[in-house]
């Protein structure tokens, strides 16, 4: 090894020089702490002792005499050997006094006799090999003694380390944990020159303080009693520093200490309990692979949930058999870098190849990752001659445009694929080709492994790098030829070829980043077959850990969607979930893409599937998933180590995420973690975070339900139905977001509700007050007071069996009854609102149960839960007469809320965001936050109403199913959106500013100003706002199949209004009114009541300093602007422009009263509007409202009787629409009316000025 003072030769990876580097990547703090071997400063321990001193056992000599007396009484050991055998056990094996103080005389005698018996047995063996297998387990401790050859992993036998992992360390929690001491005997065993004794001692932990704060680091508080008693001061000092680092990180802390005057190294690894299963035994395999052995090892537990392992490593004695191992100085460097790899997957599927030394850790974990990849994407149908030809023949006979045929074909395809290439079969094939794995891995490493040299990098090259300089790296053609020559048959060749596909698809990975907690791969999705996935993905992440596997998929660069965690009850369920994981993720993201038609973000989704053995690791899996994705969004950086990620994508990426199943309570952690890692976009990284972090919780404010409810009310409005007489079925109960809020906003006659706990039914109507009680408490129907059921009512819980219904029917299994209840035809319903349930709960094979004599048994269906029904099932129901609105249309309130939350996060700087968007410590809400929530609620209702009317109108005109029209609208909007973003229209500054002024929320414009928003919000995000706003307003007005002149007419009107705006602006500038154009300079001061902006005007920012005199209106094409009342314009539209044939009334110069006598309403552009309510008193201006927490449903008084009138926003609960001047223009789907809408609810009446609030995220069935 070269001296540290010499300058080492320059090192570089030839592939790295050709890589496009991501622009603007800056270092960030890491989740893993990694010390640097041979770096500065050197970590040298001057104390060569083990670091532990057991309290002296004063009765040891007396005990030894008792042991010898008892051995003599037994008579198995010859008298002349009793003293020597006992002395050897007590003094030569290195067992400390704690063992002798803990164990009874009988136990020690048993151990000595067992060791002696093993020696005797060895003489009877032909090889004379001494083998000792000794273990004893008690309630609070265990002892295992085994013969062990230094530096060799035992592949058979008792495998004590694996047993200790599985029984004691893996299940450890702060309240029930175990510490381990293990050491190797100093001398060789008699008659055996290679083997030594390895002793393991396991003790149940005892803590003086068993419930400290999670961030507590004081050893005297969190330390285990025995540890505090035995550890030396030097050891405590080391552990104190390690624990301090571990508490502040997601992943492991890895430290190495040199021992003065010795080549022995002390490796210390700390991590959170439960985050690295099997780590203890896996570390042994790792250091054995590099020719090291351990003299002793310690596993210490701390009551704050941290586990610390200390390994005392030394090189094996040199001999011809192990000459291939590098010096310990090189090995320890590689081991440290690979500990984080081991932490990700301690027990990979190819571990036996690693433990035997045939493959390296990197090669086996690489193979494990490709095995996961292959299991999801292997499509054998084109290559399998027999079944492939059958599939091809069948597909040619069926009509792929027929949704029924398409679904049957898809199911046949999945079944054929699963039958042959099971996960187990793929694993069996890969195991047979370790040499191919090595060659394929080298090709992967040659692209993605990088080692650079900086001024302070004086450590030696890693062994991984050196291998790339020595081993032959094959080209892709050479690999293809090698696979073809080596594979035993066609199936084997298909599987091994998938390794090449994986290598080609990886654009960047954290595989070689020493600071990682899970493995993440950014993949190029172009390898996906278009026949199966017709909508191409933009981005694709694959994340793998021992606790989970997961994907993140998005259809656009700027995209947003929730992250869900999928759990499995048993292995069978897990296998089903694993097979459908990617397809479910793809379909959810695709649904999100269609749902996001009104907002700038495209669709994305993340799905995490918990491993079958780690169903309790929800939080661990989520944290690893998020952190490993961030590794690919932010560059890794640890002191002294610069390992840049090879970025073949070459573009900066920002992901926008939100809560979904099982992740609602984890969003705050993700936000805080992004901030701690230095992500500049931490404010907008996750939506749905708590209000203290600036979040707008969907469940608390009913954001998702508001949209679903608008479709339900739309049906009632169109058909003039009285909700109080409507019989209702709902899946997703009062414990969830959608379910509880739907109950709180409803006054229908509930016949049945299905949730996670079971089914509750009452043909006479479930007690509404009782449902409201459950919804407010967010509890399942298992808490329903059955005394409030009628004689015909009943409840069946999932754990029930052999239940007799009032009809006399016997229900044998409550779980089966719950899962299939929505398909039973025993009760009559008018409306079905799925608010929860697994995807495809109604599909082609089950939809027939809802159709009787060709007619649907449920006439009205609004699909609130995502993917609850398959498309073909919806079409069958519509053909049978159902009025059905699908999830992509109905369930979009949450995405609108999230989009506006993201926009606020991007628009404010950190200080402004905390001041205006974060709930204060005393619980009060900033004035801006309260107003903004109300504006968001208004946007959600307006967007839902616009799309409902567009679908209803097109169905009447074309007769096409509403499910098809929903998709057509979505496709038309998203396609036009993408085209608009890439046209020259964006480059027209006046048009760009005009559209953004209409699209952006008025409150943001008033508070910040357009110029600052343009400066702060990323350009691609602004383009997305521009495109989505114009596209959605055009399609909602002209439909999904407009004439070729429609867009020309649409834009001509806008350009004409823009011209009018210029003229009007000039006039106002002269007359001194509040609309200004062309103002240069800066405005930094703030006026009272938020009426000015924090703005830096560069190109002429509009300013509204007298908004109380203004009236704002929004048309369906979103072009309304504010103007002064005296003129005969509203915004920048003349009255003739606003209403067809000039049908408008101008009242007092400050509002427009729509004609309600069947005349087409201006802001809906030709959509028939029902009779409006008589104008009531003007709503108060909420700009004068005092900052306060939003009113919650729990605070509202109950309504004595449900209303029977349907108003324009009937039955919307205590949700105030808010002042029209705030929410009806410039946003995503404005709606204008000057009549005061009557807002009533069976659940309560609230303050007009307070936004609707509810509670937490739902837990879907």
């Amino acid at each position: 090894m070269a001296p540290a003072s010499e300058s080492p030769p320059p090192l570089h990876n030839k592939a790295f020089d050709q890589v496009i580097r991501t622009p603007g990547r800056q270092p960030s703090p890491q989740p893993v702490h990694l010390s640097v071997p041979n770096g500065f400063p050197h970590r040298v321990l001057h104390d060569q002792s083990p670091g532990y001193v057991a309290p002296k056992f004063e009765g040891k000599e007396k005990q030894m005499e008792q042991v010898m007396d008892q051995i003599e009484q037994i008579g198995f050991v010859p008298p002349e050997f009793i003293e020597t055998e006992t002395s050897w056990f007590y003094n030569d094996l290195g067992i400390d006094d704690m063992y002798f103080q803990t164990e009874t005389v009988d136990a020690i005698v048993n151990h000595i006799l067992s060791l002696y018996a093993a020696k005797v047995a060895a003489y009877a063996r032909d090889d004379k090999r001494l083998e000792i297998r000794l273990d004893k387990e008690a309630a609070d401790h265990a002892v295992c003694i085994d013969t062990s050859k230094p530096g060799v992993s035992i592949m058979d036998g008792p495998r004590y380390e694996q047993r200790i992992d599985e029984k004691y360390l893996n299940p450890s929690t702060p309240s029930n944990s175990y510490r381990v001491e293990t050491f190797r005997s100093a001398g060789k065993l008699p008659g055996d020159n290679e083997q030594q004794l390895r002793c393991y001692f396991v003790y149940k932990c005892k803590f003086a303080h068993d419930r400290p704060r999670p961030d507590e680091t004081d050893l005297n508080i969190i330390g285990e009693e025995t540890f505090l008693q035995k550890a030396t001061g030097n050891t405590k000092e080391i552990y104190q520093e390690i624990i301090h680092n571990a508490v502040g990180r997601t992943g492991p802390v890895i430290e190495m200490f040199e021992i003065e005057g010795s080549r022995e190294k002390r490796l210390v690894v700390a991590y959170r309990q439960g985050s690295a299963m099997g780590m203890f035994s896996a570390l042994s395999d790792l250091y054995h692979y590099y020719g090291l052995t351990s003299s002793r090892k310690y596993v210490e537990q701390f009551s704050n949930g941290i586990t610390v392992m200390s390994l005392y490593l030394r090189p094996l004695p040199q001999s011809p058999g192990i000459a291939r191992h590098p010096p310990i100085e090189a090995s320890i460097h590689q081991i440290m870098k690979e500990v984080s790899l081991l932490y990700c997957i301690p027990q990979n599927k190819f571990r036996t190849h690693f433990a035997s030394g045939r493959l390296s850790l990197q090669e086996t974990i690489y193979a494990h990752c490709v095995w996961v990849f292959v299991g999801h994407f292997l499509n054998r149908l084109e290559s399998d001659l027999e079944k492939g030809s059958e599939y091809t023949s069948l597909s040619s006979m069926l009509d792929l445009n027929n949704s029924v045929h398409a679904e049957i074909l898809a199911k046949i395809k999945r079944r054929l694929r699963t039958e042959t290439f099971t996960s187990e079969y793929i694993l069996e094939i890969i195991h047979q080709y370790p040499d191919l794995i090595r060659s394929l891995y080298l090709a992967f490493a040659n692209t993605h492994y990088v080692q650079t040299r900086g001024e302070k990098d004086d450590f030696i090259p890693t062994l991984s790098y050196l291998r790339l300089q020595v081993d032959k790296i094959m080209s892709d053609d050479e690999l293809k030829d090698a696979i073809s020559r080596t594979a035993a048959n066609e199936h084997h060749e298909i599987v091994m070829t998938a390794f090449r596909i994986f290598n080609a698809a990886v654009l960047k990975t954290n595989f070689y980043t020493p600071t990682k907690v899970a493995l993440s791969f950014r993949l190029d999705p172009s390898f996906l077959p278009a026949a199966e996935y017709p909508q191409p993905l933009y981005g694709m992440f694959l994340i793998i850990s021992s606790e989970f596997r997961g994907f993140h998929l998005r259809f656009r660069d700027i995209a947003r969607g929730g992250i869900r965690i999928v759990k499995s009850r048993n292995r069978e369920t897990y296998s089903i979930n694993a097979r459908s994981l990617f397809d479910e993720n793809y379909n959810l993201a695709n649904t999100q893409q269609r749902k996001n038609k009104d907002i700038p973000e495209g669709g994305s989704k993340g799905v995490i599937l918990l491993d079958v053995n780690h169903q309790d690791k929800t939080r661990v899996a989520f944290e690893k998933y998020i952190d490993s994705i961030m590794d690919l969004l932010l560059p890794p950086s640890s002191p002294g180590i610069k390992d840049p990620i090879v970025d073949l994508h070459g573009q900066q990426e920002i992901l926008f995420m939100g809560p979904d199943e099982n992740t609602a309570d984890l969003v705050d952690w993700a936000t805080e973690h992004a901030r701690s890692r230095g992500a500049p976009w931490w404010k907008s990284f996750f939506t749905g975070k708590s209000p203290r972090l600036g979040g707008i919780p969907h469940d608390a404010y009913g954001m998702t339900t508001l949209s679903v409810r608008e479709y339900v009310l739309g049906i009632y409005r169109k058909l003039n139905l009285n909700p109080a007489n409507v019989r209702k079925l709902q899946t997703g109960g009062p414990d969830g977001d959608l379910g509880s809020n739907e109950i709180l906003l409803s006054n229908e006659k509930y016949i049945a509700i299905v949730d996670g706990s079971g089914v509750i039914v009452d043909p006479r109507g479930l007690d509404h007050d009782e449902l409201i009680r459950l919804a407010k408490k967010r509890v399942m129907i298992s808490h329903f007071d059955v005394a409030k059921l009628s004689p015909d009512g009943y409840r069946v819980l999932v754990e029930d069996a052999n239940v007799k219904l009032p009809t006399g029917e016997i229900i044998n299994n409550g779980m089966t009854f719950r899962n299939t209840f929505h398909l039973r035809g025993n009760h009559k319903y008018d409306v079905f609102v799925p608010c929860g349930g697994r995807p495809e709960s109604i599909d082609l094979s089950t939809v027939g149960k809802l159709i009787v004599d060709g007619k649907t048994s449920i006439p009205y269906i609004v699909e609130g839960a995502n993917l609850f029904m398959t498309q073909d099932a919806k079409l069958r129901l519509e053909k049978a007469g159902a009025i059905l609105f699908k999830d992509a249309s109905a369930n979009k309130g949450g995405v609108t809320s999230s989009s506006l939350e993201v926009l606020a996060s991007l628009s404010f700087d950190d200080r402004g965001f905390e001041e205006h968007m974060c709930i204060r410590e005393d619980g009060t809400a900033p004035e801006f936050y309260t107003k903004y929530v109300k504006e968001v609620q208004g946007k959600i209702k307006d967007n839902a109403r616009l799309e409902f009317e567009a679908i209803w109108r097109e169905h009447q005109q074309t007769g096409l199913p509403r499910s098809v029209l929903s998709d057509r609208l979505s496709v038309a909007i998203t396609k036009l959106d993408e085209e608009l973003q890439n046209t020259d229209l964006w480059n027209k500054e006046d048009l760009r500013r005009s559209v953004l002024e209409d699209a952006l929320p008025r409150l943001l414009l008033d508070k910040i100003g357009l110029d600052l928003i343009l400066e702060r919000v990323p350009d691609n995000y602004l383009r997305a706002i521009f495109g989505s706003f114009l596209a959605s307003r055009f399609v909602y007005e002209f439909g999904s199949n407009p004439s070729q002149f429609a867009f020309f007419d649409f834009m001509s009107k806008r350009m004409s209004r823009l011209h009018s705006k210029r003229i009007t602006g000039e006039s106002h500038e002269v007359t001194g009114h509040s609309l200004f154009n062309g103002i240069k300079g800066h405005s930094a001061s703030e006026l009272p009541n938020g009426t000015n902006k924090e703005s830096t005007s560069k190109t002429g920012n509009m300013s509204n300093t007298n908004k109380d005199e203004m009236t704002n209106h929004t048309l369906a094409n979103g072009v309304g602007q504010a103007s002064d009342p005296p003129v005969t314009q509203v915004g920048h539209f003349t009255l003739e422009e606003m209403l067809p044939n000039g049908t408008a009334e101008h009242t007092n110069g400050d509002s427009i009263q729509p004609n309600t006598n069947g005349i087409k309403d201006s802001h809906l552009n030709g959509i028939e509007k029902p009779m409006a309510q008589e104008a009531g008193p003007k709503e108060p201006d909420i700009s004068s409202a005092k900052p306060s927490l939003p009113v919650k449903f729990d605070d509202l008084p109950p309504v004595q009787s449900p209303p029977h009138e349907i108003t324009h926003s009937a039955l919307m609960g205590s949700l105030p629409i808010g002042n029209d001047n705030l929410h009806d223009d410039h946003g995503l789907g404005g709606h204008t009316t000057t009549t005061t809408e009557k807002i009533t609810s069976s659940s309560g009446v609230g303050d007009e000025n307070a936004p609707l609030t509810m509670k937490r995220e739902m837990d879907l069935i």
Side-chain angles (χ1 to χ4, degrees), residues 847 850 856 861 869 873-882 884:
V847 68
L850 299 178
T856 178
I861 302 174
M869 308 179 197
K874 295 169 190 169
L875 296 178
R876 287 283 301 276
L877 286 168
E878 289 205 61
K879 185 177 181 180
L884 189 152

Side-chain angles (χ1 to χ4, degrees), residues 722-741:
N722 182 354
N725 298 326
V726 172
R727 296 166 298 182
K728 186 174 184 178
L729 165 65
Q730 179 176 312
T731 58
D735 61 309
D737 172 8
L738 268 173
S740 63
N741 292 339

Side-chain angles (χ1 to χ4, degrees), residues 12 339 426 684 851:
H12 78 283
V339 165
I426 294 170
S684 58
I851 300 173

Side-chain angles (χ1 to χ4, degrees), residues 112-124:
I112 294 174
L113 291 176
S114 298
L115 291 173
Y116 180 78
K119 295 178 184 179
V120 173
Y123 285 101

Side-chain angles (χ1 to χ4, degrees), residues 91 126 135 224 326 431 490 588 658 689 713 836 969 1034 1118 1181 1190:
N91 301 319
D126 292 337
D135 57 83
E224 198 269 342
H431 264 296
E490 184 183 16
L588 287 168
K689 50 190 176 289
L713 294 175
L969 284 174
F1034 170 75
D1181 186 351

Side-chain angles (χ1 to χ4, degrees), residues 920-941:
R920 304 182 181 101
E921 291 185 3
D922 61 2
T924 60
E927 180 183 12
F928 179 90
Y929 182 91
T930 303
K931 293 179 180 178
Y932 196 66
V933 168
K934 293 177 63 179
E935 185 168 8
V936 171
Q937 291 173 330
K939 302 302 182 199
I940 290 170
K941 292 180 58 186

